[in-house]
Amino acid sequence: MEYRALYRAFRPDTLDGLVRQEHIVRILKNQIETGRVGHAYLFCGPRGTGKTSTAKIFAKAINCLHPKNGSPCGECEVCKALSDPANLDISEIDAASNNGVNEMRDLREKVQYPPVACRHKVYIIDEVHMLSDSAFNALLKTLEEPPAHAVFILATTEPHKLPATILSRCMRFDFKLIPQADIEAHLKGIFDKIGKKYEDEAVAAIARAGAGSMRDSLSVADICISYNKGKLTYKDVCEVLGSADFYEVAKLGESILSENAADALAETERVLASGKGVGVLAKDILGFLNNCIVVKTCRGAKELLNLPGEMLAEISRIAGGAEGKKILRACEIFAGAETDLRYTSSPRIVFETAVAKACLPEADADVLALSRRIERLEEMLKNGAAAPRPAAEGRAPVEAPAAEEPARREAEEFVPFPPEEDAPPESFSAPPEGLFAPRKAEEKVNALAPEKRKAAFGYFMRSLRKAAKSGVLFTMCQDLEPSFEGDTFVLSTSNEVIFRSLNREEHTKDIARALEGIGISDFRIALKGAAKDPFAEGVAKLKADFPDTDVHIKK
């Protein structure tokens, strides 16, 4: 006997046999039982969700002499006649290959002839969105006022491509993607009928690969049945789908989440060298990271993922050692990389760049990466680690080692920046405990004095450390570039995120308080590369030209 594919052999022949789509089944059953059958239907939705199967069942049911629960009985003379592929009362038209105006004109002429053995003559037009504009126009009048015996069923995956004049003349039914649990149950029933043994995890993997399409799932199942004569295992399904080995992907994911770029790139090379495609690996790593999020956030992760126990334990271990923000950032990076891979001629470079970007948040300027870097610096400050000191002229920067809490409190009383120019060099090169130079609390600094302006930024940072309420502001100010425009102290940055943050009211107040402590009352935060303010430039020029005159600005 000739072999038939699973999706053909197990195509439902009653409305009760359809998987889900209950809202559509209920309406169609009621129409059949009450005799309120319309003349034009539009079945639309994703592929493999039962549109054509429903159209065939409904075409038979409205002609059946003794319908059972809204479905054809399959025993009467009409049902037997319609089961013959040569019958003339149910016509299936493929609009993808019959999309011209001549085909629709031919249909318009034939529709006038009454059915041979049935009450209704049914035309099922599949992929109707492929019809040309002229073909739609030829069909329009017939669709609006067909003969009493004619019923049109249009099926499409892209209803937005249909003219509004067609849509308004049809009863529209939207088919939904089938939930994974229902696909699994249907697959298990088919495997039981054909005598194929299976693992539950293998069936779940097939259902996930179908992505809500029953036909896609059955096509994958067809290949899996032929792959192994014995029991169908999860490993068999992964081999059929061409997925990378789970533990290789898990090792790569762990390296990415631990921000170990060297190990991550080495593991990427190892997986790709085994023959796996870049697109497949990108899809696998994105799926792994998604599983990590599910395990980290959902209590019922075991039921949701339905993975083998050892795999679920490995995912739980890796997800438990990573922060949620870090996993989310990696997911966004690889989701973007998967999109970029469709349009690039160098897929490997795109993927490896995504791996490096996920491992190096300090080299990334997006919001999540900046947030990650600020959190890391806050953690360092909380644990007592002093930030690196800016270098004075001719000196290399000094890295401050971690200190215990008492030492950190004591350090608050010292100046962590370059001393005044008139101080002996020893006070900077060899401060107490090798870190800080003492300054008397009552000593005042006038940073506007010409001989003090060069070290004004150091005085500002020392004052800010005492005035700021948190270490975040202090950290953001470390990379600012200072300059003077007359008596206006300008702090410049090229990072727009830092610029916006420093101009927030709470940060501006802390900066103003710190500058007042060193004798500076006029300042502004500037963004490098932004257009200059001509008004501010004019005020600065006036102050420079008339240093002995007070310039007051009225707002």
Side-chain angles (χ1 to χ4, degrees):
M1 183 179 175
E2 182 183 357
Y3 179 75
R4 298 179 69 195
L6 291 180
Y7 77 87
R8 293 180 61 200
F10 291 93
R11 185 189 291 274
D13 52 10
T14 64
L15 292 176
D16 292 329
L18 291 171
V19 180
R20 297 306 291 265
Q21 318 303 347
E22 296 91 345
H23 60 299
I24 297 173
V25 169
R26 181 175 181 178
I27 295 172
L28 297 182
K29 280 185 177 181
N30 290 337
Q31 286 191 351
I32 293 168
E33 291 174 356
T34 59
R36 300 173 63 88
V37 178
H39 70 275
Y41 294 81
L42 175 63
F43 292 168
C44 53
R47 68 182 188 276
T49 51
K51 298 185 296 296
T52 305
S53 296
T54 304
K56 291 181 177 181
I57 296 169
F58 185 66
K60 288 184 179 180
I62 61 178
N63 285 307
C64 179
L65 299 178
H66 311 290
K68 295 180 179 178
N69 196 23
S71 298
C73 66
E75 299 173 356
C76 65
E77 296 178 359
V78 173
C79 287
K80 292 178 180 178
L82 294 178
S83 299
D84 185 356
N87 81 85
L88 300 175
D89 292 335
I90 297 179
S91 300
E92 291 187 48
I93 302 171
D94 178 21
S97 55
N98 299 280
N99 57 2
V101 64
N102 292 330
E103 285 82 357
M104 292 302 104
R105 285 174 178 168
D106 184 54
L107 183 150
R108 188 173 61 185
E109 293 176 0
K110 291 181 178 178
V111 76
Q112 305 299 328
Y113 297 106
V116 177
C118 308
R119 286 178 292 180
H120 299 282
K121 197 169 188 177
V122 184
Y123 291 90
I124 302 173
I125 306 178
D126 207 0
E127 301 299 332
V128 70
H129 64 274
M130 299 292 285
L131 291 178
S132 65
D133 292 341
S134 300
F136 275 125
N137 291 333
L139 178 64
L140 189 59
K141 192 62 177 177
T142 304
L143 193 66
E144 181 179 14
E145 297 178 359
H149 59 264
V151 175
F152 290 91
I153 303 178
L154 315 182
T156 179
T157 55
E158 302 181 48
H160 57 277
K161 291 186 177 181
L162 271 64
T165 50
I166 297 290
L167 293 172
S168 63
R169 287 166 170 80
C170 300
M171 283 191 283
R172 176 169 173 167
F173 295 87
D174 288 278
F175 287 70
K176 302 175 183 178
L177 287 171
I178 303 172
Q180 182 177 321
D182 294 288
I183 295 179
E184 289 180 28
H186 191 65
L187 288 174
K188 289 178 181 178
I190 291 174
F191 286 157
D192 291 338
K193 288 179 183 178
I194 63 177
K196 181 69 176 179
K197 296 182 179 179
Y198 55 86
E199 291 180 353
D200 289 343
E201 295 84 0
V203 176
I206 295 173
R208 278 196 298 273
S213 169
M214 181 61 74
R215 185 171 63 240
D216 288 3
S217 299
L218 290 173
S219 297
V220 174
D222 225 338
I223 304 172
C224 293
I225 290 172
S226 302
Y227 181 80
N228 189 345
K229 294 182 180 178
K231 187 176 184 179
L232 183 63
T233 64
Y234 180 84
K235 186 176 180 181
D236 293 338
V237 177
C238 290
E239 289 291 337
V240 169
L241 295 174
S243 303
D245 180 72
F246 170 81
Y247 293 99
E248 290 180 344
V249 175
K251 189 174 181 181
L252 173 59
E254 185 175 14
S255 300
I256 291 170
L257 294 178
S258 61
E259 297 178 356
N260 190 332
D263 287 353
L265 290 172
E267 189 62 31
T268 299
E269 171 66 27
R270 189 177 301 112
V271 176
L272 295 179
S274 67
K276 299 300 179 185
V278 176
V280 173
L281 181 57
K283 184 177 180 180
D284 289 344
I285 193 66
L286 189 57
F288 173 80
L289 293 170
N290 180 68
N291 290 343
C292 288
I293 290 178
V294 173
V295 168
K296 199 168 184 70
T297 57
C298 300
R299 293 183 179 179
K302 183 176 180 181
E303 291 74 19
L304 287 173
L305 298 179
N306 200 0
L307 292 171
E310 62 275 12
M311 293 184 181
L312 189 63
E314 182 71 3
I315 293 174
S316 300
R317 181 185 68 80
I318 295 172
E323 297 177 1
K325 289 183 179 179
K326 191 185 296 184
I327 302 175
L328 177 61
R329 176 173 174 267
C331 276
E332 290 185 346
I333 289 172
F334 284 100
E338 189 178 33
T339 301
D340 295 340
L341 286 171
R342 301 175 186 174
Y343 309 105
T344 182
S345 57
S346 304
R348 183 165 184 158
I349 294 176
V350 171
F351 184 79
E352 289 181 348
T353 301
V355 171
K357 186 177 180 181
C359 293
L360 301 171
E362 64 274 9
D364 193 5
D366 68 10
V367 175
L368 280 175
L370 287 173
S371 173
R372 173 87 180 115
R373 289 157 64 182
I374 291 172
E375 285 178 2
R376 185 181 295 173
L377 289 169
E378 283 184 322
E379 189 67 26
M380 290 172 61
L381 291 171
K382 187 185 296 183
N383 294 333
R389 294 192 308 198
E393 285 190 41
R395 298 189 182 99
V398 180
E399 291 289 339
E404 298 296 331
E405 183 66 18
R408 186 186 68 78
R409 288 198 300 268
E410 184 180 353
E412 295 285 349
E413 302 175 2
F414 295 96
V415 184
F417 294 99
E420 300 182 49
E421 285 79 351
D422 55 355
E426 293 78 15
S427 65
F428 179 69
S429 58
E433 300 185 11
L435 287 176
F436 304 106
R439 179 183 297 281
K440 295 179 181 179
E442 64 274 7
E443 184 177 353
K444 299 294 182 182
V445 176
N446 181 11
L448 282 176
E451 68 275 8
K452 304 292 185 183
R453 290 193 176 198
K454 189 178 291 186
F457 187 70
Y459 298 133
F460 161 64
M461 292 299 288
R462 181 202 66 191
S463 179
L464 180 65
R465 185 179 184 115
K466 296 179 180 179
K469 297 178 182 178
S470 72
V472 177
L473 177 59
F474 182 83
T475 301
M476 288 193 293
C477 288
Q478 283 186 327
D479 294 330
L480 297 177
E481 293 186 14
S483 62
F484 277 94
E485 294 179 358
D487 288 341
T488 302
F489 191 46
V490 181
L491 297 169
S492 304
T493 178
S494 58
N495 191 307
E496 191 173 348
V497 175
I498 293 179
F499 171 75
R500 289 199 303 267
S501 181
L502 290 179
N503 276 288
R504 287 161 53 188
E505 184 179 358
E506 61 269 22
H507 287 164
T508 304
K509 287 182 179 178
D510 286 343
I511 294 173
R513 194 180 305 119
L515 289 172
E516 286 173 2
I518 61 172
I520 296 177
S521 58
D522 190 8
F523 77 96
R524 68 184 178 89
I525 309 297
L527 178 64
K528 283 195 205 174
K532 294 185 177 180
D533 183 358
F535 179 77
E537 288 183 345
V539 172
K541 189 173 185 308
L542 279 174
K543 290 182 178 180
D545 293 342
F546 304 98
D548 299 330
T549 303
D550 292 335
V551 178
H552 299 284
I553 301 172
K554 293 185 177 180
K555 297 183 179 179

